[in-house]
Amino acid sequence: MLTQEEILEIRGLLESAVNPLFYFDNDQDGLSSYLLLKRFIGKGNGVPVKTSPLDMNYFRRVNEFDPDIVFILDQPTVSIEFFKALEERGQKVVWIDHHEIDLETIPSWIKYYNPLYNKMHENNPVTFLCYQITNRKEDSWIAIAGCIADKYVPNYYSEFLKDYPDLGIVSNDAFEIFYNSSIGKISRMMGAGLKDRTTNVIAMIRFLISAKSPYEVLEEKRENKTMHKRFNSIDSKFKKLISKAKENISGEKVLFFQYSGETSMSADIANKLSYLYPDKYIIVAFIRGARVNLSIRGKNSREVSAKAISEFPLSTSGGHKDAVGAQLNSDEVLKFVENFKKLI
């Protein structure tokens, strides 16, 4: 959680902003964080970030929108070059995150907020933090959608159930809510929509900014027809891939599944498999060209993955303690899996 002092400070920065620019991670936690802040102040522009780190490829948006303040939401890493370019502009920057990071790498002029490093010492999704800041009960459905996608059930979920008993289920398991309820469907629709082409992503975000209730999202109509179409398409492919992944089930502690295609769903597949098989380590590889994206789930998987991937010089790995993203060359995948199995 953010401290009360931090909440008031960030809220004050939001309310004083004339033309804010929001960079947010390209998943439900990032999107929901942006939606909460945008709906709170009713101004500014948002840019989903599809790569890590947030780098100079995204700096043109600063020149395009000329913001008075930049908010960075749910981004684990930002390039030094990006920060230097912002500093040269004299740009005010607020960074709200929940990933572990070396604090010494953050420039002193950045306003950085992360409950892992305040007196709370908690790892809450950024959506949860942004809802602390905005505290608009009418947006609780957005807050729930963002939190459960990050495997977190917030303390106000019971209040949400009182307001929307038909949208949720009584459970303390975030993924059970995510996969088996209507609010979970909304969250999954948001995730699928972010995988669409840019014009459709922008249309979805505009619709969600203006939506008065979660029922508007669930009801297919002209304003969200593309969003529904994308979800149905992605969900169909997702279910087929999950069925294929289940064919790899064995007595081994590691479930490894690799696939290819036009759309990366490795994180979504890894999450569903970890929900179905909580006692297994999950490694999902999305192969597209010479590079492979890995999504890894399991106890202490960040530590294990870092060791397993260390011999590959062009690889990257990082994330949360039990949920990791990594990238390496396609000819290194099987060796990585072998290393991983040996380590556990």
Side-chain angles (χ1 to χ4, degrees):
M1 299 176 69
L2 295 170
T3 65
Q4 188 61 29
E5 182 182 355
E6 290 172 328
I7 292 170
L8 294 175
E9 186 173 17
I10 300 170
R11 189 181 295 158
L13 289 165
L14 264 176
E15 291 174 335
S16 67
V18 176
N19 181 34
L21 175 61
F22 301 89
Y23 287 101
F24 58 92
D25 195 30
N26 193 54
D27 65 6
Q28 291 100 314
D29 187 22
L31 172 58
S32 297
S33 300
Y34 166 62
L35 292 173
L36 291 172
L37 300 188
K38 171 72 174 185
R39 287 164 66 103
F40 177 72
I41 59 172
K43 50 190 170 183
N45 297 281
V47 178
V49 180
K50 299 182 179 182
T51 61
S52 186
L54 170 57
D55 59 22
M56 289 301 292
N57 290 320
Y58 288 89
F59 191 76
R60 65 182 180 85
R61 294 298 192 177
V62 176
N63 293 324
E64 178 184 346
F65 294 119
D66 191 27
D68 59 328
I69 184 168
V70 169
F71 288 85
I72 301 173
L73 307 173
D74 194 29
Q75 273 296 300
T77 53
V78 180
S79 75
I80 295 173
E81 294 77 15
F82 189 84
F83 274 147
K84 283 183 177 178
L86 290 174
E87 186 177 19
E88 288 175 2
R89 280 178 54 96
Q91 190 74 63
K92 186 182 292 186
V93 177
V94 175
W95 186 1
I96 308 174
D97 193 38
H98 68 136
H99 297 87
E100 288 187 24
I101 192 172
D102 182 357
L103 294 178
E104 293 183 1
T105 64
I106 304 173
S108 59
W109 56 275
I110 301 292
K111 290 186 176 296
Y112 182 72
Y113 302 89
N114 186 330
L116 284 172
Y117 301 104
N118 65 20
K119 63 183 180 182
M120 301 299 188
H121 301 295
E122 295 176 328
N123 187 358
N124 315 111
V126 177
T127 299
F128 181 87
L129 308 180
C130 289
Y131 191 63
Q132 278 191 283
I133 297 162
T134 61
N135 196 31
R136 284 164 41 101
K137 190 175 182 181
E138 61 266 39
D139 291 344
S140 65
W141 60 277
I142 296 174
I144 298 296
C147 284
I148 59 174
D150 233 44
K151 205 175 182 181
Y152 183 83
V153 181
N155 51 11
Y156 44 83
Y157 179 65
S158 57
E159 288 299 313
F160 168 82
L161 284 179
K162 292 177 183 178
D163 294 331
Y164 304 103
D166 53 330
L167 297 187
I169 57 174
V170 178
S171 176
N172 293 319
D173 186 327
F175 275 4
E176 185 176 0
I177 301 167
F178 182 73
Y179 294 115
N180 300 303
S181 71
S182 293
I183 188 61
K185 181 179 180 180
I186 289 173
S187 183
R188 288 181 283 123
M189 288 176 69
M190 291 164 63
L194 286 168
K195 294 178 174 64
D196 210 342
R197 61 190 187 193
T198 302
T199 53
N200 290 340
V201 172
I202 293 172
M204 177 187 72
I205 292 174
R206 286 176 177 168
F207 167 74
L208 291 171
I209 289 171
S210 64
K212 298 295 188 298
S213 80
Y215 300 107
E216 288 188 34
V217 182
L218 291 169
E219 179 188 356
E220 184 175 348
K221 49 188 178 180
R222 180 177 58 82
E223 293 84 356
N224 65 8
K225 186 175 182 179
T226 302
M227 184 181 179
H228 276 261
K229 182 179 179 181
R230 184 61 174 174
F231 171 70
N232 292 333
S233 173
I234 290 288
D235 194 51
S236 176
K237 294 175 183 177
F238 175 76
K239 288 175 179 177
K240 290 177 181 177
L241 289 169
I242 290 295
S243 295
K244 288 185 178 180
K246 288 180 177 180
E247 296 173 4
N248 292 8
I249 289 294
S250 68
E252 287 193 351
K253 193 70 174 174
V254 174
L255 170 55
F256 171 60
F257 174 64
Q258 61 181 341
Y259 72 103
S260 60
E262 292 299 315
T263 305
S264 175
M265 290 185 273
S266 56
D268 305 282
I269 295 169
N271 285 340
K272 183 62 178 285
L273 292 175
S274 69
Y275 166 68
L276 294 173
Y277 308 103
D279 296 329
K280 291 185 180 292
Y281 285 92
I282 308 296
I283 302 176
V284 177
F286 174 63
I287 302 173
R288 191 172 187 180
R291 297 289 282 177
V292 174
N293 291 328
L294 297 175
S295 292
I296 304 147
R297 304 291 184 267
K299 188 176 181 180
N300 296 320
S301 54
R302 182 178 60 197
E303 180 181 347
V304 179
S305 298
K307 292 178 181 178
I309 209 170
S310 61
E311 69 177 82
F312 309 118
L314 298 179
S315 64
T316 60
S317 175
H320 298 292
K321 182 180 178 181
D322 301 330
V324 181
Q327 191 178 83
L328 38 60
N329 292 332
S330 58
D331 58 355
E332 298 167 338
V333 175
L334 296 182
K335 185 64 169 69
F336 167 81
V337 175
E338 181 184 334
N339 293 346
F340 194 99
K341 289 180 178 180
K342 287 179 180 178
L343 286 167
I344 65 165

